[in-house]
Amino acid sequence: MCFWTEIVVGSTLLVLVIDLATSGRGGIGTFIGICAVSGAFGIADAHVQGGMVGDLSYMHPELLQSFLAGGAASGALTSALRLVTKAAFENSKDGLRKGAFLFFAITTFFELLCVILYAFVFPKVPIVKYYRSKAASEGAKTVSADLAAAGIQTSSVVHFFFSFLFNSNMVLNCSCYRNQCYISNVISF
């Protein structure tokens, strides 16, 4: 999910860069650039939101409900922020551009803040550690990297290293579920 969050923050920042690079003058190149950035933002935002819902689905239902309610509240807050930035520069020269620039600057700051909090604070919250450990102990493989980032080692993800595998032409296909590991098949070649 880290790649997609970088695209979200980067595309919002790129709107500011395009505006500064063109000094607010339009043109077909600027239009195509803004459309490409907008498309990248939409795709990346869909991946980030899907990843967050997937991450929170391992946890208590109230956490997922809070995330979705926060998304709705952030939509209302975004609209209010845009109205405030538009009203603040209403009577100034080039006010619409300045208001939009301030809006995107504030938005980029908050997106970056959320990414930093999710990456460094969220994994260390005790309830998040608990539910990620629980998911891993029930066989979920997708939370292993998250647990390792938070400093939690689990016994459900076991790596098999047998010395005889290096001297023969065999591969063991192993799987783990609920702290039980099974050899599902042996492949010889």
Side-chain angles (χ1 to χ4, degrees):
M1 194 166 77
C2 184
F3 169 75
W4 295 110
T5 55
E6 291 168 2
I7 297 294
V8 167
V9 175
S11 61
T12 309
L13 184 62
L14 198 55
V15 169
L16 296 172
V17 171
I18 289 172
D19 181 63
L20 289 173
T22 62
S23 300
R25 287 184 235 108
I28 191 69
T30 304
F31 176 73
I32 291 171
I34 294 293
C35 287
V37 166
S38 188
F41 179 84
I43 291 169
D45 186 51
H47 279 85
V48 169
Q49 287 189 24
M52 282 299 301
V53 168
D55 195 15
L56 292 173
S57 68
Y58 284 118
M59 300 178 196
H60 207 267
E62 280 82 11
L63 295 175
L64 182 57
Q65 183 181 10
S66 297
F67 170 73
L68 296 174
S74 71
L77 185 63
T78 301
S79 297
L81 176 64
R82 181 62 190 126
L83 290 173
V84 168
T85 57
K86 188 173 182 176
F89 296 103
E90 185 176 355
N91 294 327
S92 68
K93 181 182 180 237
D94 208 14
L96 184 62
R97 179 174 174 249
K98 289 177 184 175
F101 190 85
L102 180 63
F103 170 78
F104 278 106
I106 293 169
T107 302
T108 303
F109 170 74
F110 277 107
E111 285 176 352
L112 188 60
L113 179 66
C114 288
V115 168
I116 290 170
L117 288 174
Y118 179 76
F120 297 109
V121 176
F122 187 73
K124 294 177 178 33
V125 174
I127 194 167
V128 173
K129 284 182 179 181
Y130 168 76
Y131 280 112
R132 284 184 174 171
S133 295
K134 182 180 175 192
S137 70
E138 291 175 356
K141 304 278 190 230
T142 58
V143 296
S144 300
D146 297 330
L147 291 170
I152 300 171
Q153 299 298 323
T154 62
S155 60
S156 65
V157 180
V158 178
H159 298 284
F160 293 92
F161 294 105
F162 296 104
S163 60
F164 70 90
L165 288 176
F166 296 110
N167 297 325
S168 66
N169 293 329
M170 279 196 205
V171 175
L172 295 178
N173 188 5
C174 304
S175 59
C176 298
Y177 180 70
R178 294 183 188 251
N179 294 329
Q180 299 281 342
C181 293
Y182 307 96
I183 297 175
S184 53
N185 59 7
V186 177
I187 302 169
S188 298
F189 54 94

